[in-house]
Amino acid sequence: MKKNGYEGIYDWVCGHLAKADLAECAPHLGLTVREDGKVSVSFFGREYLVDNQGVTPADGFPAGVNHLSLVGHYAMSRGRGEPAGEYVPLWRLSGTIDNSGGFDRSTVSNPLDRKFGSDLTALEQTAVRLGGVPQTDEPSGGLAWVFHAFPKVPIKLIHHPADEEFEAEYLLLFDKSADSFMVFEALGFLSGVFIHEMTSNDV
């Protein structure tokens, strides 16, 4: 059976994992090496195990191929340092000067608004279930949560509910150091996986 593009990306990740020194990378990425030599990676509340053969969910149940690719990509990152604690839109990490506000609305705001509408309780419950930490001091005044998608790659979700003047808006921001740990294309995939997790019907 012919593989799709996403499966091809995972094959590419596995090819690089085969040559990676995962035990050397792990401490710099906030990851733990188990006694069996596998690296444990938590990704949106689920544990994955990474070795030179590939990525497997610790619970033995199937996982999306994009999840596997992202976990593998992070586990072999050569990134160093700590998150900056300052959050920016994904397009700011692209190295371009183009403001992709329309892209953010179509990929972030629209699906989340379709999922939650005005049900802020459901939004809060879903955010917390995925590990979101409420930010009570959000400067924009919106509802906000920080998620440690990976230990050194925190992301922030901000929601401004609709009012008489403006429609509801969601913003997904990345720590400005995120591209030190993951390439821009992988961060784009991370954005898509996050929205999938937020809008999934799984409880």
Side-chain angles (χ1 to χ4, degrees):
M1 181 181 297
K2 185 177 180 180
K3 294 185 177 182
N4 63 34
Y6 296 138
E7 291 169 333
I9 292 172
Y10 178 61
D11 284 347
W12 180 88
V13 168
C14 286
H16 285 270
L17 282 174
K19 301 174 287 186
D21 188 343
L22 298 174
E24 194 277 331
C25 294
H28 302 287
L29 300 172
L31 302 177
T32 302
V33 182
R34 307 193 328 169
E35 291 185 2
D36 61 6
K38 295 184 178 183
V39 176
S40 174
V41 182
S42 178
F43 188 42
F44 292 127
R46 191 176 182 188
E47 184 187 11
Y48 295 80
L49 303 177
V50 187
D51 60 19
N52 295 115
Q53 306 301 311
V55 183
T56 56
D59 58 20
F61 290 101
V65 68
N66 285 344
H67 292 63
L68 302 179
S69 293
L70 286 168
V71 169
H73 179 77
Y74 181 76
M76 61 181 173
S77 171
R78 304 299 298 178
R80 298 290 186 271
E82 299 297 329
E86 182 180 341
Y87 295 87
V88 297
L90 181 59
W91 66 267
R92 285 274 301 277
L93 301 176
S94 68
T96 70
I97 59 174
D98 178 39
N99 183 334
S100 302
F103 173 82
D104 288 343
R105 171 153 291 281
S106 64
T107 58
V108 178
S109 255
N110 290 350
L112 289 176
D113 198 39
R114 283 194 299 269
K115 172 68 175 182
F116 299 108
S118 60
D119 191 348
L120 298 183
T121 298
L123 171 62
E124 291 170 355
Q125 290 175 343
T126 302
V128 170
R129 177 172 61 82
L130 292 179
V133 178
Q135 305 296 293
T136 56
D137 57 349
E138 168 54 35
S140 72
L143 302 173
W145 299 264
V146 166
F147 303 78
H148 277 81
F150 296 111
K152 299 295 181 75
V153 185
I155 59 178
K156 179 186 280 191
L157 178 68
I158 302 174
H159 174 51
H160 295 281
D163 58 25
E164 294 180 357
E165 264 188 274
F166 300 101
E167 59 184 322
E169 180 183 39
Y170 290 86
L171 299 173
L172 182 59
L173 307 178
F174 289 76
D175 188 275
K176 66 183 301 184
S177 71
D179 58 351
S180 297
F181 297 93
M182 304 180 75
V183 300
F184 177 76
E185 291 78 9
L187 294 173
F189 274 103
L190 176 56
S191 175
V193 166
F194 174 72
I195 299 304
H196 169 78
E197 291 286 339
M198 285 291 295
T199 57
S200 170
N201 290 324
D202 296 340
V203 178

